[in-house]
Amino acid sequence: MPAWAVQLIAHHVRPKIMHNDQFVATAPPDRPPLTSGPSSLPVALTVNGSTHVVDLEPRVSLLDALREHLDLTGSKKGCDQGTCGACTVWVDGRRVLACLSLAVTCEGRSVTTIEGLAAGEELHPMQRAFIECDAFQCGYCTAGQIMSAVALLEEGNATTDAEIAESMSGNICRCAAYPNIRAAIREVRDAGEGGHRATA
Amino acid sequence: MRPLSYRRAAEIGEAVATVSTEPTSAFLAGGTTEVDLVRLGVARHDLLVDINDLPLADIENLPGGGLRIGALARMNDVARAAQVVEMYPGIAQALLLGASEQLRNMATMGGNLCQRVRCAYFRDNVSPCNKREPGTGCSALDGQNRGHAILGTSEHCIATHPSDVAVALVAFDAVVHTIGPSGARIIPIENFYLLPGRTPHIEHPLEHGELIVAIEVPPLPVARGSLYLKFRDRQSYEFALVSVLSALLVQDGRITEVRLALGGVGTTPWRARRAEAQLVGAPATAGSFAAAAAAELDAAVLHEHNAFKQELAQRAIVRGLDQAMVSAVHGGAR
Ligand SMILES: Cc1cc2nc3c(=O)[nH]c(=O)nc-3n(C[C@H](O)[C@H](O)[C@H](O)COP(=O)(O)OP(=O)(O)OC[C@H]3O[C@@H](n4cnc5c(N)ncnc54)[C@H](O)[C@@H]3O)c2cc1C
Ligand code: SF4
Ligand code: FES
Ligand code: FES
């Protein structure tokens, strides 16, 4: 594992960011009736445990809100069409695609990104396993792979390699690190550490 | 991406009233078709009405048997619901063989029924396409048409209907419950899908603003032994080249009941009625299966790159029926 690659993974472990355009609330907001747009409106997004209110047009995807407005650039934009999985995040604990979710629809929901996975400086076991198993090359798909992989272990459908492959098929890796990704998932599964979640 | 207005509906009546009075509005469920197509410029909606807070996500057993699946039930939740797995395994399999875990966590049953075609000319937003711009022609007829349909086509459109679960629902005679500006109604699922004919831009009998609230599947003993096979260019996360839903009841070596439907080959989720008619009463043998498959595909209209689907579909039917025999004979179909 080259040093730059280790750094690339470690980069996902920045301490929790509180870039908020306006203020940080503590309690997650509910979903009030709302009519808005097409101009921007304040949208309260709870990401990795903290709530940020950002001015967003309704057409802004959750992915763009995270990357462009909250400076959480761990989640990647591969296709913007739902076909690659690089943007995988959790909404209310379930893995979804941030590129096909409008940010405004996530009000009152709890969003978890790769930045919310580590406990402070301590990597999530899946992040560690990805490094140990050399489960990436360019790293572009990695955040999505890891978010999917942790969710997969929680879903409990990772008994066989075939199951892992099927359940991870929504995450494309153009470097084809698939065997090593599966190895990382097996490692965490077998160590029984899969359920650990820092924030969700 | 075009500017969008957004409204979060708290009640069914409000959602229906809003969409039916705004000509360029649409419902927003999981967004996996809608957000994609608005971003591509193919869907020209200016207002999305978010229906995710409506209480339409339940999966309930019906008093007389059968199942009511709320329009907002997510694909993954339906696929893994115990009643679905037990009573209609073909529905569960069709769902799990579609899209990816992430998409299935988002995508709803109502949205799935309404998903748009994956024809590249429809999606590119520039090529002539009768479905997107009525009257401009069909680029697929003489273009790249490997994925396109061979049954139910017209010279105006040959796009394949992409849904997997709709294939199972068509086989089981499901009905679609809606609430629209002129009230509630029930649409048998086969009538829910319109052949392209001269109007490929009209895909459903829904009025603008008519909301799907639920899908009901009738009690159907034969469905307990159903299965769904899907053949595609890669093993997972891909639409079907051909798929088949099959279910059989066999007594004394003869077929007493059969359900057969195809995906990937029709412009609508395709109930194989010709084959079914030929199979009822016939001996449950490979010979009957092959003859019925040939009869169904006899009507195929082939284009340059999709001719292979005729034989692939026939083989898929034979394999599907063959495998359904296992559950049919060994008590699965009771
Ligand atoms: C990469 C990719 C791969 C896919 N692979 C498959 C596959 O293999 N098999 C398969 O079957 N599908 C597949 N899909 C399609 C996916 O299943 C559909 O996009 C999804 O089911 C649509 O549901 P949704 O809730 O996201 O709908 P939305 O995108 O929210 O809505 C779709 C359309 O339906 C309308 N609508 C939604 N709900 C209702 C309602 N209750 N009443 C009336 N109208 C409504 C909307 O206005 C919109 O026009 C794939 C999609 C993607 C992006
Ligand atoms: S097949 Fe249908 S959707 Fe595709 S280009 Fe022709 S008209 Fe358009
Ligand atoms: S960027 Fe969301 S799936 Fe590719
Ligand atoms: S590591 Fe390069 S795309 Fe997966």
Side-chain angles (χ1 to χ4, degrees):
Chain A
M1 166 85 38
W4 62 263
V6 176
Q7 245 180 8
L8 194 137
I9 288 260
H11 178 71
H12 295 318
V13 201
R14 298 181 283 184
K16 228 171 277 157
I17 293 175
M18 297 261 208
H19 279 274
N20 49 318
D21 293 3
Q22 276 144 36
F23 73 96
V24 178
T26 41
D30 53 9
R31 291 165 56 83
L34 180 70
T35 309
S36 69
S39 52
S40 53
L41 71 152
V43 175
L45 290 176
T46 303
V47 183
N48 300 331
S50 36
T51 300
H52 314 262
V53 177
V54 276
D55 276 339
L56 298 175
E57 292 179 42
R59 64 176 162 173
V60 174
S61 69
L62 175 60
L63 181 60
D64 283 343
L66 292 170
R67 293 181 51 84
E68 311 292 335
H69 296 264
L70 294 173
D71 204 21
L72 294 169
T73 54
S75 309
K76 296 291 184 277
K77 187 186 284 187
C79 65
D80 223 16
Q81 299 189 356
T83 61
C84 77
C87 65
T88 302
V89 299
W90 304 333
V91 173
D92 285 347
R94 288 166 65 125
R95 46 171 159 157
V96 299
L97 300 176
C99 70
L100 293 185
S101 307
L102 296 181
V104 64
T105 66
C106 297
E107 265 199 318
R109 315 225 184 271
S110 159
V111 178
T112 308
T113 69
I114 188 76
E115 290 90 347
L117 210 53
E121 288 300 307
E122 195 189 330
L123 290 181
H124 185 280
M126 190 65 76
Q127 292 173 307
R128 278 203 310 265
F130 264 63
I131 296 172
E132 281 155 20
C133 297
D134 203 7
F136 51 85
Q137 290 176 41
C138 76
Y140 200 80
C141 71
T142 308
Q145 300 280 1
I146 291 176
M147 294 309 283
S148 239
V150 178
L152 163 60
L153 291 187
E154 292 231 331
E155 291 153 9
N157 300 321
T159 315
T160 63
D161 255 32
E163 262 184 354
I164 295 176
E166 173 60 32
S167 191
M168 291 295 292
S169 71
N171 292 84
I172 308 287
C173 175
R174 70 141 294 179
C175 303
Y178 300 112
N180 298 16
I181 292 169
R182 286 196 291 276
I185 294 171
R186 279 196 307 268
E187 191 174 293
V188 180
R189 177 198 63 195
D190 295 343
E193 305 171 305
H196 167 81
R197 277 186 175 187
T199 50
Chain B
M1 186 171 179
R2 65 194 291 121
L4 278 177
S5 295
Y6 171 82
R7 178 163 180 155
R8 192 177 290 148
E11 282 168 19
I12 292 173
E14 175 200 349
V16 170
T18 310
V19 173
S20 55
T21 50
E22 295 284 341
T24 58
S25 67
F27 299 118
L28 178 68
T32 62
T33 288
E34 185 62 29
V35 173
D36 182 31
L37 291 183
V38 170
R39 184 173 294 139
L40 292 174
V42 172
R44 298 183 191 151
H45 298 137
D46 299 314
L47 166 67
L48 297 187
V49 177
D50 185 348
I51 57 174
N52 285 288
D53 290 351
L54 303 182
L56 298 173
D58 289 345
I59 304 168
E60 302 159 281
N61 287 74
L62 291 169
L67 217 52
R68 182 180 172 96
I69 304 171
L72 288 173
R74 310 287 149 172
M75 287 171 72
N76 258 345
D77 295 332
V78 177
R80 295 184 165 117
Q83 311 104 297
V84 176
V85 174
E86 188 195 325
M87 292 157 63
Y88 310 100
I91 291 181
Q93 293 161 22
L95 285 166
L96 290 181
L97 289 170
S100 65
E101 292 282 357
Q102 293 96 310
L103 283 159
R104 296 194 302 266
N105 280 340
M106 305 170 72
T108 64
M109 292 296 285
N112 189 299
L113 296 190
C114 298
Q115 65 177 291
R116 306 301 305 275
V117 300
R118 307 300 293 192
C119 172
Y121 303 108
F122 172 76
R123 288 174 58 83
D124 74 14
N125 209 20
V126 288
S127 304
C129 168
N130 289 325
K131 200 181 264 303
R132 180 168 30 75
E133 307 275 1
T136 54
C138 171
S139 299
L141 290 176
D142 297 313
Q144 290 296 323
N145 47 40
R146 183 167 180 277
H148 285 71
I150 57 175
L151 294 170
T153 58
S154 74
E155 72 249 47
H156 304 284
C157 180
I158 58 170
T160 307
H161 196 277
S163 173
D164 288 297
V165 71
V167 174
L169 294 172
V170 161
F172 299 155
D173 293 320
V175 294
V176 180
H177 288 246
T178 69
I179 295 180
S182 20
R185 61 174 173 152
I186 300 175
I187 307 169
I189 187 142
E190 264 186 297
N191 302 348
F192 184 80
Y193 291 105
L194 306 178
L195 290 170
R198 309 183 140 273
T199 52
H201 58 291
I202 305 173
E203 298 175 345
H204 309 290
L206 294 180
E207 272 181 86
H208 182 65
E210 190 170 351
L211 180 76
I212 301 171
V213 292
I215 299 158
E216 283 190 8
V217 199
L220 194 66
V222 67
R224 290 181 178 253
S226 58
L227 84 137
Y228 188 79
L229 301 179
K230 185 171 176 182
F231 303 92
R232 40 192 165 170
D233 278 334
R234 60 182 183 198
Q235 204 176 336
S236 184
Y237 200 17
E238 184 56 277
F239 291 92
L241 288 170
V242 173
S243 65
V244 56
L245 181 296
S246 53
L248 284 171
L249 281 184
V250 179
Q251 247 167 23
D252 305 325
R254 290 201 172 263
I255 299 165
T256 54
E257 197 177 342
V258 59
R259 296 296 169 114
L260 193 66
L262 302 172
V265 289
T267 52
T268 61
W270 195 261
R271 178 81 176 263
R273 291 208 180 265
R274 278 198 204 192
E276 283 186 0
Q278 197 163 318
L279 285 166
V280 174
T285 60
S288 313
F289 299 165
E296 188 65 44
L297 272 300
D298 196 38
V301 175
L302 309 176
H303 288 86
E304 187 179 353
H305 307 112
N306 68 4
F308 74 98
K309 284 191 176 183
Q310 187 172 29
E311 187 175 348
L312 186 62
Q314 293 184 46
R315 292 183 185 193
I317 291 174
V318 172
R319 188 184 293 183
L321 291 169
D322 209 43
Q323 293 192 8
M325 282 289 287
V326 178
S327 31
V329 174
H330 296 297
R334 275 295 313 159

